[in-house]
Coordinates of all heavy atoms in Angstrom, one line a residue:
D1 N 153.9 -37.9 -22.8 CA 153.7 -36.9 -21.8 C 154.0 -35.5 -22.3 O 154.6 -35.3 -23.3 CB 154.5 -37.3 -20.5 CG 156.0 -37.2 -20.8 OD1 156.5 -36.3 -21.4 OD2 156.7 -38.1 -20.2
E2 N 153.4 -34.6 -21.6 CA 153.5 -33.2 -22.0 C 155.0 -32.7 -22.1 O 155.3 -31.9 -23.0 CB 152.7 -32.3 -21.0 CG 152.5 -30.9 -21.5 CD 151.6 -30.1 -20.5 OE1 150.6 -30.7 -20.0 OE2 151.9 -28.9 -20.3
T3 N 155.8 -33.1 -21.1 CA 157.2 -32.6 -21.1 C 157.9 -33.1 -22.3 O 158.7 -32.4 -22.9 CB 157.9 -33.2 -19.8 OG1 157.1 -32.7 -18.7 CG2 159.3 -32.6 -19.7
K4 N 157.7 -34.4 -22.7 CA 158.4 -35.0 -23.8 C 157.9 -34.3 -25.1 O 158.7 -33.9 -26.0 CB 158.2 -36.5 -23.9 CG 159.0 -37.1 -25.0 CD 158.9 -38.6 -24.9 CE 159.8 -39.2 -26.0 NZ 160.0 -40.6 -25.9
L5 N 156.6 -34.0 -25.2 CA 156.1 -33.3 -26.4 C 156.7 -31.9 -26.5 O 157.0 -31.5 -27.6 CB 154.6 -33.3 -26.3 CG 153.8 -32.6 -27.5 CD1 154.2 -33.3 -28.8 CD2 152.3 -32.6 -27.2
K6 N 156.7 -31.2 -25.4 CA 157.3 -29.9 -25.4 C 158.8 -29.9 -25.8 O 159.2 -29.0 -26.6 CB 157.2 -29.3 -23.9 CG 157.4 -27.9 -23.8 CD 157.1 -27.4 -22.4 CE 157.3 -25.9 -22.2 NZ 157.0 -25.5 -20.8
D7 N 159.5 -30.8 -25.3 CA 160.9 -30.9 -25.7 C 161.1 -31.2 -27.2 O 162.0 -30.7 -27.9 CB 161.7 -32.0 -24.9 CG 161.9 -31.6 -23.5 OD1 161.8 -30.4 -23.2 OD2 162.1 -32.5 -22.6
L8 N 160.2 -32.1 -27.7 CA 160.3 -32.4 -29.2 C 159.9 -31.2 -30.0 O 160.6 -30.9 -31.0 CB 159.3 -33.6 -29.5 CG 159.7 -35.0 -29.0 CD1 158.5 -35.9 -29.2 CD2 160.9 -35.4 -29.8
L9 N 159.0 -30.4 -29.6 CA 158.6 -29.2 -30.3 C 159.7 -28.2 -30.3 O 160.0 -27.6 -31.3 CB 157.3 -28.7 -29.7 CG 156.7 -27.5 -30.4 CD1 156.4 -27.8 -31.9 CD2 155.4 -27.0 -29.7
K10 N 160.3 -28.0 -29.1 CA 161.4 -27.1 -29.0 C 162.6 -27.5 -30.0 O 163.2 -26.7 -30.6 CB 161.9 -27.0 -27.6 CG 161.1 -26.2 -26.7 CD 161.7 -26.2 -25.3 CE 160.9 -25.5 -24.3 NZ 161.5 -25.5 -22.9
S11 N 162.9 -28.7 -30.0 CA 163.9 -29.3 -30.8 C 163.6 -29.1 -32.3 O 164.5 -28.7 -33.1 CB 164.1 -30.8 -30.5 OG 165.1 -31.3 -31.4
A12 N 162.3 -29.3 -32.7 CA 161.9 -29.1 -34.1 C 162.0 -27.7 -34.5 O 162.5 -27.3 -35.6 CB 160.5 -29.7 -34.3
V13 N 161.6 -26.8 -33.6 CA 161.6 -25.3 -33.9 C 163.1 -24.9 -34.1 O 163.5 -24.1 -35.0 CB 160.9 -24.5 -32.9 CG1 161.1 -23.0 -33.1 CG2 159.4 -24.8 -33.0
A14 N 163.9 -25.3 -33.1 CA 165.4 -24.9 -33.2 C 166.0 -25.4 -34.5 O 166.8 -24.7 -35.1 CB 166.1 -25.5 -32.0
E15 N 165.7 -26.6 -34.9 CA 166.2 -27.2 -36.1 C 165.8 -26.4 -37.4 O 166.6 -26.1 -38.2 CB 165.8 -28.7 -36.3 CG 166.4 -29.4 -37.4 CD 166.1 -30.9 -37.4 OE1 165.8 -31.4 -36.4 OE2 166.0 -31.4 -38.5
V16 N 164.5 -26.0 -37.4 CA 164.0 -25.2 -38.5 C 164.7 -23.9 -38.5 O 165.1 -23.4 -39.6 CB 162.5 -25.0 -38.4 CG1 162.0 -24.0 -39.4 CG2 161.8 -26.4 -38.7
L17 N 164.9 -23.2 -37.4 CA 165.6 -22.0 -37.3 C 167.0 -22.1 -37.8 O 167.5 -21.1 -38.5 CB 165.5 -21.4 -35.9 CG 164.1 -21.0 -35.4 CD1 164.2 -20.5 -34.0 CD2 163.5 -19.8 -36.3
E18 N 167.7 -23.1 -37.5 CA 169.1 -23.3 -37.9 C 169.1 -23.6 -39.4 O 170.0 -23.0 -40.1 CB 169.7 -24.4 -37.1 CG 170.0 -24.1 -35.7 CD 170.5 -25.3 -34.9 OE1 170.8 -26.3 -35.5 OE2 170.6 -25.2 -33.7
E19 N 168.3 -24.5 -39.9 CA 168.4 -24.9 -41.3 C 167.8 -23.9 -42.3 O 168.2 -23.8 -43.4 CB 167.7 -26.3 -41.4 CG 168.4 -27.4 -40.8 CD 167.8 -28.7 -40.9 OE1 166.8 -28.8 -41.7 OE2 168.2 -29.7 -40.3
R20 N 166.8 -23.1 -41.9 CA 166.1 -22.2 -42.7 C 166.3 -20.8 -42.3 O 165.4 -20.0 -42.3 CB 164.6 -22.6 -42.8 CG 164.3 -24.0 -43.4 CD 164.7 -24.1 -44.8 NE 164.1 -23.0 -45.6 CZ 163.2 -23.2 -46.6 NH1 162.9 -24.4 -46.9 NH2 162.7 -22.2 -47.2
R21 N 167.5 -20.4 -41.9 CA 167.8 -19.1 -41.3 C 167.4 -18.0 -42.3 O 166.8 -17.0 -41.8 CB 169.3 -19.0 -41.0 CG 169.7 -17.7 -40.3 CD 171.1 -17.7 -40.0 NE 171.4 -16.4 -39.3 CZ 171.6 -16.3 -38.0 NH1 171.4 -17.3 -37.2 NH2 171.9 -15.1 -37.5
E22 N 167.7 -18.1 -43.6 CA 167.4 -17.1 -44.5 C 165.9 -16.9 -44.6 O 165.4 -15.7 -44.7 CB 167.9 -17.4 -45.9 CG 169.4 -17.6 -46.0 CD 169.9 -19.0 -45.6 OE1 169.1 -19.9 -45.6 OE2 171.0 -19.1 -45.2
F23 N 165.1 -17.9 -44.6 CA 163.6 -17.9 -44.6 C 163.1 -17.1 -43.4 O 162.3 -16.2 -43.6 CB 163.1 -19.3 -44.7 CG 161.6 -19.3 -44.8 CD1 160.9 -18.9 -45.9 CD2 160.8 -19.9 -43.7 CE1 159.5 -18.9 -45.9 CE2 159.5 -19.9 -43.8 CZ 158.8 -19.4 -44.9
V24 N 163.6 -17.4 -42.3 CA 163.2 -16.8 -41.0 C 163.5 -15.3 -41.1 O 162.7 -14.4 -40.7 CB 163.8 -17.5 -39.8 CG1 163.5 -16.7 -38.5 CG2 163.3 -18.9 -39.7
E25 N 164.7 -15.0 -41.6 CA 165.2 -13.6 -41.7 C 164.2 -12.8 -42.6 O 163.9 -11.6 -42.4 CB 166.6 -13.5 -42.2 CG 167.6 -13.9 -41.2 CD 169.0 -13.9 -41.7 OE1 169.2 -13.8 -43.0 OE2 170.0 -14.1 -40.9
E26 N 163.8 -13.4 -43.7 CA 162.9 -12.8 -44.7 C 161.5 -12.5 -44.0 O 161.0 -11.4 -44.2 CB 162.7 -13.6 -45.9 CG 163.9 -13.7 -46.9 CD 163.7 -14.6 -48.0 OE1 162.5 -14.9 -48.4 OE2 164.6 -15.1 -48.6
I27 N 161.1 -13.5 -43.2 CA 159.8 -13.3 -42.6 C 159.8 -12.1 -41.6 O 159.0 -11.3 -41.5 CB 159.4 -14.6 -41.9 CG1 159.0 -15.6 -42.9 CG2 158.2 -14.3 -40.9 CD1 158.8 -17.0 -42.3
I28 N 160.9 -12.0 -40.8 CA 161.1 -11.0 -39.8 C 161.2 -9.6 -40.5 O 160.6 -8.6 -40.1 CB 162.3 -11.3 -38.9 CG1 162.0 -12.5 -38.0 CG2 162.6 -10.0 -38.1 CD1 163.2 -13.0 -37.3
E29 N 162.0 -9.6 -41.6 CA 162.2 -8.3 -42.4 C 160.8 -7.8 -42.9 O 160.5 -6.6 -42.8 CB 163.2 -8.5 -43.5 CG 164.6 -8.6 -43.1 CD 165.5 -8.9 -44.2 OE1 165.1 -8.9 -45.4 OE2 166.8 -9.1 -43.9
E30 N 160.1 -8.7 -43.5 CA 158.7 -8.4 -44.0 C 157.8 -7.9 -42.9 O 157.1 -6.9 -43.1 CB 158.1 -9.5 -44.8 CG 158.8 -9.8 -46.1 CD 158.1 -10.9 -46.9 OE1 156.9 -11.2 -46.6 OE2 158.8 -11.6 -47.7
A31 N 157.9 -8.5 -41.8 CA 157.0 -8.1 -40.7 C 157.4 -6.7 -40.2 O 156.5 -5.8 -39.9 CB 157.1 -9.1 -39.5
M32 N 158.7 -6.4 -40.1 CA 159.2 -5.1 -39.7 C 158.8 -4.0 -40.7 O 158.4 -2.9 -40.4 CB 160.7 -5.1 -39.5 CG 161.1 -5.9 -38.3 SD 162.9 -6.1 -38.2 CE 163.4 -4.5 -37.9
E33 N 158.9 -4.3 -42.0 CA 158.4 -3.4 -43.1 C 156.9 -3.1 -42.9 O 156.5 -2.0 -43.1 CB 158.7 -4.0 -44.4 CG 160.2 -4.0 -44.8 CD 160.5 -4.7 -46.1 OE1 159.6 -5.2 -46.7 OE2 161.7 -4.7 -46.4
D34 N 156.1 -4.2 -42.7 CA 154.7 -4.0 -42.5 C 154.4 -3.1 -41.3 O 153.5 -2.2 -41.4 CB 154.0 -5.3 -42.3 CG 154.0 -6.2 -43.6 OD1 154.2 -5.6 -44.7 OD2 153.6 -7.4 -43.5
V35 N 155.1 -3.2 -40.2 CA 154.9 -2.4 -39.0 C 155.3 -0.9 -39.4 O 154.6 0.0 -39.0 CB 155.7 -2.9 -37.8 CG1 155.8 -1.9 -36.7 CG2 155.2 -4.3 -37.4
A36 N 156.4 -0.8 -40.0 CA 156.9 0.6 -40.4 C 155.8 1.3 -41.3 O 155.5 2.4 -41.2 CB 158.2 0.5 -41.1
L37 N 155.3 0.5 -42.3 CA 154.3 1.1 -43.2 C 153.0 1.5 -42.5 O 152.5 2.5 -42.7 CB 154.0 0.1 -44.3 CG 153.0 0.5 -45.4 CD1 153.4 1.8 -46.1 CD2 152.8 -0.6 -46.4
A38 N 152.6 0.6 -41.5 CA 151.4 0.9 -40.8 C 151.6 2.1 -39.9 O 150.7 3.0 -39.8 CB 151.1 -0.3 -39.9
R39 N 152.8 2.3 -39.3 CA 153.1 3.5 -38.6 C 153.1 4.7 -39.4 O 152.6 5.8 -39.0 CB 154.4 3.4 -37.8 CG 154.4 2.4 -36.7 CD 155.7 2.4 -35.9 NE 155.6 1.5 -34.8 CZ 156.7 1.1 -34.1 NH1 157.9 1.5 -34.4 NH2 156.5 0.3 -33.1
A40 N 153.7 4.6 -40.6 CA 153.7 5.8 -41.5 C 152.3 6.2 -42.0 O 152.0 7.3 -42.1 CB 154.6 5.4 -42.8
I41 N 151.5 5.2 -42.2 CA 150.1 5.5 -42.6 C 149.4 6.2 -41.4 O 148.7 7.2 -41.7 CB 149.4 4.2 -43.0 CG1 149.9 3.7 -44.4 CG2 147.9 4.4 -43.1 CD1 149.5 2.3 -44.8
D42 N 149.6 5.6 -40.2 CA 148.9 6.3 -39.1 C 149.4 7.7 -38.9 O 148.6 8.6 -38.6 CB 149.2 5.5 -37.8 CG 148.4 4.2 -37.7 OD1 147.4 4.0 -38.5 OD2 148.8 3.3 -36.9
E43 N 150.7 7.9 -39.1 CA 151.3 9.2 -38.9 C 150.7 10.2 -40.0 O 150.5 11.4 -39.7 CB 152.8 9.1 -39.0 CG 153.5 10.3 -38.4 CD 155.0 10.0 -38.5 OE1 155.5 9.0 -37.8 OE2 155.7 10.7 -39.2
G44 N 150.5 9.7 -41.2 CA 150.1 10.5 -42.3 C 148.6 10.8 -42.3 O 148.2 11.8 -43.0
V45 N 147.8 10.1 -41.6 CA 146.4 10.3 -41.6 C 146.0 11.7 -41.2 O 145.1 12.3 -41.8 CB 145.7 9.2 -40.7 CG1 144.2 9.5 -40.5 CG2 145.8 7.8 -41.4

């Protein structure tokens, strides 16, 4: 059922976030750097 599948997915995502915290932090940092670079480029155009 959809509810059980949703609960399993939430649990799996939470587990990944806990176990691979450094990896998730790196992804977020890179995304923020990309956004900042895009803004700087737009500003400099």
Side-chain angles (χ1 to χ4, degrees):
D1 67 39
E2 188 174 324
T3 304
K4 186 170 183 174
L5 181 59
K6 192 174 185 179
D7 289 341
L8 287 171
L9 185 57
K10 284 181 184 179
S11 177
V13 169
E15 186 175 330
V16 168
L17 291 175
E18 288 174 11
E19 291 180 4
R20 300 293 308 243
R21 183 179 182 99
E22 301 83 23
F23 179 67
V24 174
E25 287 173 354
E26 287 177 24
I27 291 171
I28 292 171
E29 286 174 8
E30 287 182 25
M32 291 173 66
E33 289 173 357
D34 289 346
V35 168
L37 180 58
R39 285 184 180 167
I41 290 169
D42 287 342
E43 201 174 295
V45 167

